[in-house]
């Protein structure tokens, strides 16, 4: 058994070593180790021991540990996803629905290009346009674009209608009597409240004082060790001045020289090439963030970030590790749309908007947002079988509501209103644009700390519970939406703690 264990560790080490060598940061790490090996601190007669000491004394060991942590984290994420495509697989229909949804979105973008007579793959900007865009890069809100003929390719309600139309294989005769709008027929495993209580158990433990906690956060930040930074976020009371740095360590998005170069390359591409998604980005920011009292001041930086995001071919590569090959975003020959492989939807910029409160540099903002999007947000806008994908979150929400708020569930049933309709926009946007920014950042602290989107479904249910009395008095979905429209009074942490402590 020990021999098998040693062999497993050996193979894992070889795999990690091979992966590190393919990364852009590898050359810099290798040069740093070479310099240390040649320094007076390293004794050639005891190279192994003295080099290890030198690596630790310079803090290079922490960088290497964080690198390995993120590689292992991503490899576990890839292993968790199911890639089965057998005709006997009960979730095969769901995977096919995901492929069909991606094709539908791409067809819509292609049709828009044909209608407007613009090339899907883009065209080179004329010199005057390039000069104007470069001049106004810091104030893109002053860059004039005619958006009158452009519209979002799809909105949350479009994805919801597809999800509600999903029909899986019927196993038993009694399944025919289940309401078609429920997600109960989908054979995805989701946690019950007890399992959620175990998973989010740190939220129920005794809190330390604010001063003591702030000092502890600064100590953790000084360590620069990603797993410890992730652990500190689990309390949901991160001091604002250190939140951005903690998130960057947890997501592995600290800026290196090659990332600064990559940003400049993306910016250059924006200035040179005119894509249809540029108009969609401008349209989306104007329809959402510009009309939001909390985010309108960040209009200019959101244009920069989202325009560069649309050009980033690395995003497609990063997502391919988290998505089945059939559902992975495609760029290039397969789909000559956005280079990133992602077609902008209504509200996509709201995934980036909260990061404006954390960073004063668009480069830092971009890479942390990109890492967050790749790890979490894309699961909310695709039909997939991931345990934390949008389908699983909808199923979790409905099971929790039916089990722990049976009166509300029955009320919705009597009114013939699908319960998911009243919260889907919250789930798909991870509450961005719905919660006040400071409360949203607390919620996303928990998403990062527990590496889980399940907290979204739990919060959705407890908000309905919190407003149960008002919801029970209304009979139309418009009135229900009115009751739930204003979340400015919601305090995320106390409500989630309340939800976890219920019987």
């Amino acid at each position: 058994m020990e021999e098998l264990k040693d062999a497993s560790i050996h193979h894992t080490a070889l795999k990690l070593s091979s992966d590190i060598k393919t990364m852009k940061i590898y050359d810099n790490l290798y040069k740093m180790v070479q310099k240390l090996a040649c320094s007076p601190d390293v004794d050639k007669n005891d190279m192994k021991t003295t080099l290890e000491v030198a690596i630790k004394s310079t803090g290079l060991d922490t960088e290497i540990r964080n690198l390995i942590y993120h590689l292992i984290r991503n490899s576990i994420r890839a292993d968790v996803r199911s890639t089965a495509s057998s005709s006997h697989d009960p979730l095969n229909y769901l995977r096919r629905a995901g492929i069909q949804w991606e094709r539908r979105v791409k067809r819509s973008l292609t049709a828009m290009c044909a209608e407007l007579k613009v090339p899907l793959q883009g065209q080179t900007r004329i010199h005057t346009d390039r000069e104007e865009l470069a001049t106004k890069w810091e104030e893109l809100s002053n860059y004039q674009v005619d958006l009158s003929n452009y519209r979002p390719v799809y909105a949350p309600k479009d994805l919801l209608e597809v999800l509600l139309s999903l029909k899986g294989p019927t196993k038993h005769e009694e399944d025919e009597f289940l309401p078609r709008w429920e997600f109960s027929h989908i054979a995805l495993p989701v946690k019950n409240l007890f399992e959620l209580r175990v998973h989010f158990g740190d939220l129920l433990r005794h809190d330390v004082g604010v001063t003591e906690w702030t000092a502890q956060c600064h100590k953790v930040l000084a360590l620069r060790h990603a797993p410890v930074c992730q652990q500190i976020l689990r309390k949901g009371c991160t001091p604002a001045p250190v939140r951005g740095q903690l998130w960057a360590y947890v997501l592995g998005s600290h800026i290196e020289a090659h990332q600064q170069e990559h940003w400049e390359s993306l910016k250059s591409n924006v200035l040179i090439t005119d894509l249809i998604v540029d108009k969609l980005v401008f349209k989306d920011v104007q329809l959402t963030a510009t009309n939001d009292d909390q985010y309108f001041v960040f209009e200019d930086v959101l244009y920069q970030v989202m325009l560069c995001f649309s050009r980033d071919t690395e995003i497609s590569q990063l997502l391919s590790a988290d998505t089945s090959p059939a559902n992975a975003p495609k760029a290039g020959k397969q789909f000559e749309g956005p280079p990133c492989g992602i077609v902008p939807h209504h509200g996509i910029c709201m995934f980036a908007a909260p990061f404006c409160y954390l960073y004063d540099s668009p480069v830092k903002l971009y890479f942390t947002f990109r890492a967050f999007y790749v790890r979490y947000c894309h699961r909310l806008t695709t039909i997939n079988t991931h345990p934390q994908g949008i389908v699983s979150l909808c199923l979790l929400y409905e099971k929790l509501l039916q089990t722990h708020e049976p009166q509300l569930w029955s009320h919705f049933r009597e009114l013939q209103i699908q319960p998911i309709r009243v919260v889907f926009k919250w789930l798909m946007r991870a509450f961005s644009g719905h919660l006040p920014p400071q409360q949203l950042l607390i919620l996303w602290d928990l998403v990062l700390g527990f590496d889980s989107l399940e907290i979204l479904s739990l919060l959705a249910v407890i908000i309905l519970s919190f407003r149960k009395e008002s919801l029970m008095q209304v009979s139309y979905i418009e009135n229900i939406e009115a009751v739930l429209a204003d979340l400015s009074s919601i305090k995320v942490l106390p409500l989630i703690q309340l939800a976890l402590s219920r019987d």
Side-chain angles (χ1 to χ4, degrees):
M1 186 62 71
E2 286 298 322
E3 290 179 359
L4 289 174
K5 182 178 179 181
D6 291 342
S8 175
I9 293 173
H10 175 69
H11 289 306
T12 301
L14 288 177
K15 176 68 167 58
L16 290 171
S17 177
S18 176
D19 289 344
I20 290 173
K21 288 178 181 178
T22 64
M23 302 177 72
K24 291 182 179 179
I25 199 174
Y26 172 72
D27 287 341
N28 188 44
L29 284 174
Y30 188 69
K31 288 176 183 176
M32 292 174 71
V33 174
Q34 278 185 318
K35 287 181 181 178
L36 284 176
C38 298
S39 69
D41 296 329
V42 176
D43 185 354
K44 65 179 181 180
N45 297 317
D46 189 11
M47 175 73 79
K48 182 177 183 296
T49 303
T50 55
L51 182 58
E52 285 180 357
V53 172
I55 288 174
K56 288 181 180 178
S57 64
T58 59
L60 187 58
D61 69 317
T62 302
E63 287 189 41
I64 296 172
R65 286 174 184 270
N66 286 345
L67 193 61
I68 293 172
Y69 165 75
H70 291 297
L71 282 172
I72 292 175
R73 207 171 169 221
N74 290 336
S75 67
I76 292 173
R77 178 181 62 178
D79 291 340
V80 166
R81 64 182 172 88
S82 174
T83 57
S85 58
S86 164
S87 58
H88 301 293
D89 175 20
L91 294 177
N92 196 36
Y93 76 97
L94 198 55
R95 296 187 179 87
R96 288 198 303 271
I99 296 170
Q100 291 166 359
W101 169 250
E102 293 293 326
R103 289 174 179 168
R104 173 180 164 182
V105 169
K106 291 168 183 177
R107 282 198 302 268
S108 297
L109 182 61
T110 304
M112 186 185 297
C113 288
E115 179 186 333
L116 299 173
K117 296 185 168 103
V118 296
L120 179 61
Q121 65 273 21
Q123 56 193 351
T124 303
R125 293 187 191 277
I126 60 175
H127 181 71
T128 53
D129 185 30
R130 190 184 309 176
E131 292 254 326
E132 183 186 6
L133 191 60
T135 303
K136 295 180 177 177
W137 180 253
E138 298 298 330
E139 297 179 339
L140 285 171
S141 53
N142 294 325
Y143 178 69
Q144 298 300 315
V145 186
D146 182 8
L147 303 174
S148 56
N149 295 322
Y150 292 87
R151 62 189 182 279
V153 176
Y154 71 95
K157 61 182 178 60
D158 299 311
L159 178 57
L160 176 59
E161 293 305 327
V162 174
L163 294 181
L164 291 173
S165 68
L166 291 174
K167 293 181 176 63
T170 303
K171 293 182 180 179
H172 306 288
E173 292 182 4
E174 57 267 24
D175 287 350
E176 297 177 2
F177 299 99
L178 289 173
R180 290 185 179 183
W181 44 264
E182 292 180 15
F183 285 84
S184 56
H185 65 280
I186 299 177
L188 284 171
V190 295
K191 293 182 176 69
N192 57 35
L193 186 58
F194 175 78
E195 291 167 324
L196 290 172
R197 190 178 295 135
V198 172
H199 185 72
F200 297 107
D202 284 353
L203 290 174
L204 297 176
R205 290 173 189 156
H206 181 67
D207 292 330
V208 297
V210 175
T211 304
E212 183 182 347
W213 183 249
T214 301
Q216 192 171 337
C217 287
H218 281 283
K219 286 180 182 177
V220 166
L221 196 57
L223 294 174
R224 300 183 295 114
H225 197 198
V228 184
C229 291
Q230 183 182 21
Q231 192 69 28
I232 210 78
L233 292 175
R234 292 186 168 205
K235 286 294 184 181
C237 49
T238 310
V242 300
R243 178 178 275 125
Q245 296 179 70
L246 289 172
W247 283 26
Y249 280 118
V250 173
L251 289 166
S253 60
H254 270 282
I255 302 303
E256 305 288 344
H258 69 272
Q259 289 171 311
Q260 182 69 49
E261 293 171 3
H262 186 57
W263 168 263
E264 293 300 329
S265 174
L266 295 174
K267 175 183 174 181
S268 176
N269 191 287
V270 173
L271 297 178
I272 293 171
T273 311
D274 183 14
L275 298 176
I276 186 173
V277 289
D278 296 346
K279 279 77 173 180
L280 297 178
V281 164
F282 275 95
K283 188 81 170 183
D284 186 56
V285 173
Q286 291 179 16
L287 288 175
T288 55
T290 305
N291 289 324
D292 192 308
D293 291 343
Q294 305 294 334
Y295 296 109
F296 75 94
V297 294
F298 304 120
E299 182 181 1
D300 294 320
V301 73
L302 284 174
Y303 288 137
Q304 293 179 24
V305 167
M306 297 310 299
L307 288 172
C308 288
F309 182 84
S310 68
R311 267 49 175 207
D312 199 340
T313 56
E314 289 183 1
I315 293 172
S316 180
Q317 299 165 11
L318 291 167
L319 286 179
S320 65
D322 188 60
T323 316
S324 64
N327 288 344
K330 301 291 194 304
K333 292 182 180 179
Q334 295 88 350
F335 176 58
E336 296 180 350
C340 67
I342 298 165
V343 178
H345 61 84
H346 178 59
I348 190 172
C349 76
M350 295 306 291
F351 287 135
F355 290 87
C356 296
Y357 280 95
L358 303 184
Y359 305 102
D360 55 9
S361 159
V363 184
K364 291 180 180 178
L365 189 161
Y366 176 75
F367 283 100
T368 304
F369 154 63
R370 189 185 79 166
F372 187 82
Y373 183 93
V374 167
R375 188 160 187 88
Y376 303 107
C377 302
H378 84 96
R379 297 178 189 161
L380 302 176
T381 59
T382 58
I383 300 174
N384 56 74
T385 58
H386 195 282
Q388 293 182 44
I390 190 65
V391 181
S392 293
L393 295 185
C394 290
L395 178 59
L396 174 61
Y397 157 77
E398 288 203 339
K399 286 195 171 183
L400 289 174
L401 186 68
Q402 185 175 19
T403 304
H404 300 284
E405 286 295 346
Q407 276 188 301
L408 265 179
W409 178 265
S410 298
H411 182 59
F412 285 129
R413 288 283 294 274
E414 289 171 6
L415 300 176
Q416 289 296 300
I417 295 172
Q418 294 104 326
I420 193 63
R421 285 194 183 277
V422 300
V423 303
F424 185 77
K425 58 187 177 182
W426 297 347
L427 299 180
M428 185 173 161
R429 290 220 313 223
F431 282 90
S432 182
H434 299 287
L435 285 173
Q438 295 311 314
Q439 291 302 312
L440 180 71
L441 293 174
I442 290 173
L443 178 64
W444 286 11
D445 276 345
L446 302 180
V447 169
L448 286 165
F450 293 96
D451 194 25
S452 173
L453 289 167
E454 294 160 320
I455 201 86
L456 304 180
S457 300
L458 186 64
L459 180 60
V461 171
I462 196 62
I463 289 175
L464 264 61
S465 299
F466 193 62
R467 304 216 169 147
K468 177 179 175 179
E469 185 176 341
S470 298
L471 290 171
M472 294 295 293
Q473 295 175 9
V474 295
S475 304
Y476 299 98
I477 190 165
E478 294 80 9
N479 303 111
I480 290 173
E481 290 174 344
V483 170
L484 301 172
D486 183 8
L487 300 186
S488 59
S489 63
I490 294 296
K491 303 299 180 187
V492 167
L493 197 56
L495 274 183
I496 291 177
Q497 289 171 329
L498 175 63
L500 292 172
S501 61
R502 298 171 75 180
D503 294 332

